[in-house]
Amino acid sequence: MFDVVIVGAGPVGLYLGALLLQDGLSVRIVEQRTAPSTHSRAIGIHPPGLSALARVGIAQELIAEGVPITAGVARSAGKPVTELRFDGLGNAYPFILAVPQARTVAHLEARVRALDPQALQRGVTVTSLHDAGTSVTLGTTSPGEQGSLTARLVVGADGARSTLRRELGIATRGRNYPDSYLMGDFVDTGSQDATAVLYLEAAGIVESFPLPGGLRRWVVHTDKLLTEATPADLAALIADRTSITVDPARNSMFSAFTVRSRHASSMISGRVALIGDAAHEISPIGGQGMTLGWLDAAALSPIMAAALRGERTGRQLAHFERSRKAAAAQASAQAWLNTALGRPRSTSFLEKRHRLAQAALGTQWSKNVVARRFSMAPWQEPPGTPGTPG
């Protein structure tokens, strides 16, 4: 019997596994995919995420591979609207790191295998769950055989369509956004250096982020889901809205997608916990979901270790669930705002909104407040606030 079985070997499951293995626990991580995904989904690692990754010793490796984004700029109709900086917020990591998710997963997997070469098992699908009160048994299938795994505790990090959540009968609530996007990675034209750029245009937002290897990711709001679109179609939309030319023949990743949010009614059920997208699926517009999942894992791991030592953890678990649900609600609200800001609007509406934004962001302090929301940086009171030095 294992101390912990983790279902799902994405970035969140692997991170939790590394934390628990470092604590000397016996851990099995099961993943139904036979190989890691090469699709570059999440690319932004926020400052709290880098601090979390430092706990398992891979932050510096990723920083060496990635692109530190220290500033974000909003433009509209060829003119600047505002700029936010992430390097003046007092964080240990004064930037958002852009690195393909596949590379993040590769480093996490290497760390897990260094701690225990047998901990990760791919090609294993969970088919059932039975919580006996003192242990949990998972029914499994793998190529050519059926089996089972028993653990004192189980964690579902198995994504937005979580099998464990379904087996536990945990309901979700949420919404489908009426928004769709095209996304692709193209060779960088060199016009935007290492800055993230948001083009707030009447036809809909265009987002542009630097990537390692001389690439940039482009995300474009579309009127409907364009499942038959091509990189050439995306390049045409980018040129039409921003006057920037990208070469569709040098596209390395392309997808069309819609967005939604879902929140599980409970993150804890008996001896089973849900974290990451299994507990709260966040719209990818804003890119906070992966870091949110790591912070779930970082908060849960010491509680699990205490429970396995025989300590009472009821109050700790209740606080964990309250605080992580609150963090997810905040990230979801930020994602909704990001999505709403990117919708098509009339030119006159955009001009009025830009003037209001420029007035609201007229001080460095107000810019820092917004920058903290985008970067998930811990809140700090402004100088002079009662109870703080000023």
Side-chain angles (χ1 to χ4, degrees):
M1 181 166 63
F2 295 97
D3 288 327
V4 182
V5 168
I6 300 168
V7 181
V12 175
L14 288 170
Y15 175 68
L16 177 62
L19 285 176
L20 297 176
L21 287 166
Q22 287 181 166
D23 282 342
L25 302 178
S26 61
V27 177
R28 176 58 50 88
I29 307 167
V30 295
E31 167 60 50
Q32 64 181 353
R33 292 188 181 92
T34 57
S37 173
T38 59
H39 187 68
S40 176
R41 289 164 291 177
I43 60 169
I45 303 179
H46 299 75
L50 285 167
S51 295
L53 294 175
R55 293 180 54 182
V56 296
I58 68 168
Q60 291 305 317
E61 297 173 3
L62 284 167
I63 291 170
E65 285 193 23
V67 178
I69 301 174
T70 57
V73 176
R75 302 183 187 277
S76 185
K79 299 178 181 178
V81 177
T82 192
E83 177 182 14
L84 299 177
R85 299 203 62 86
F86 310 120
D87 54 0
L89 304 179
N91 298 316
Y93 299 96
F95 49 80
I96 298 172
L97 186 70
V99 61
Q101 180 176 326
R103 293 303 304 151
T104 303
V105 169
H107 282 283
L108 283 166
E109 181 170 334
R111 179 57 178 156
V112 165
R113 293 196 183 279
L115 291 164
D116 179 356
Q118 303 302 315
L120 173 60
Q121 300 292 315
R122 293 190 175 276
V124 178
T125 299
V126 172
T127 58
S128 64
L129 180 153
H130 175 66
D131 188 339
T134 56
S135 64
V136 180
T137 299
L138 301 175
T140 63
T141 61
S142 53
E145 63 178 313
Q146 294 184 332
S148 64
L149 289 168
T150 302
R152 297 168 67 190
L153 299 172
V154 169
V155 178
D158 51 342
R161 293 170 176 81
S162 170
T163 297
L164 290 197
R165 190 181 65 222
R166 184 185 68 239
E167 289 293 317
L168 291 166
I170 295 176
T172 63
R173 57 177 176 78
R175 60 181 297 182
N176 295 327
Y177 292 81
D179 301 275
S180 54
Y181 300 85
L182 287 179
M183 177 173 70
D185 296 346
F186 296 87
V187 172
D188 197 348
T189 62
S191 59
Q192 304 295 345
D193 56 55
T195 300
V197 186
L198 305 182
Y199 299 88
L200 306 173
E201 308 301 338
I205 196 169
V206 177
E207 305 179 6
S208 177
F209 307 99
L211 284 171
L215 302 176
R216 285 192 81 86
R217 169 156 298 179
W218 293 84
V219 183
V220 176
H221 191 284
T222 56
D223 293 331
K224 60 182 180 180
L225 182 62
L226 302 176
T227 55
E228 303 300 319
T230 66
D233 295 321
L234 176 53
L237 288 171
I238 294 168
D240 181 62
R241 297 186 197 176
T242 71
S243 298
I244 293 176
T245 300
V246 299
D247 184 358
R250 304 177 75 184
N251 168 261
S252 55
M253 188 283 298
F254 179 78
S255 69
F257 64 95
T258 57
V259 296
R260 67 178 195 169
S261 67
R262 291 288 187 278
H263 298 264
S265 59
S266 176
M267 295 177 68
I268 305 294
S269 177
R271 303 183 76 82
V272 183
L274 302 176
I275 61 174
D277 284 354
H280 28 242
E281 180 186 5
I282 305 298
S283 163
I285 304 304
Q288 297 188 352
M290 186 165 64
T291 293
L292 185 70
W294 287 332
L295 298 182
D296 290 347
L300 182 62
S301 62
I303 302 175
M304 297 178 73
L308 291 168
R309 292 192 299 267
E311 299 176 19
R312 294 185 177 182
T313 57
R315 294 178 66 180
Q316 292 171 277
L317 282 172
H319 175 74
F320 163 81
E321 189 164 31
R322 285 195 305 271
S323 62
R324 298 318 301 157
K325 282 185 173 182
Q330 179 173 308
S332 187
Q334 183 65 50
W336 175 86
L337 178 60
N338 295 342
T339 301
L341 288 173
R343 290 173 181 156
R345 304 290 186 185
S346 68
T347 300
S348 61
F349 178 90
L350 285 180
E351 290 174 348
K352 291 177 183 177
R353 191 175 73 185
H354 297 339
R355 287 195 294 270
L356 288 173
Q358 288 165 342
L361 299 176
T363 67
Q364 190 57 52
W365 179 81
S366 60
K367 287 184 177 181
N368 285 350
V369 170
V370 177
R372 288 186 184 283
R373 291 297 298 269
F374 275 95
S375 65
M376 302 180 73
W379 171 255
Q380 292 180 355
E381 295 288 350
T385 299
T388 64

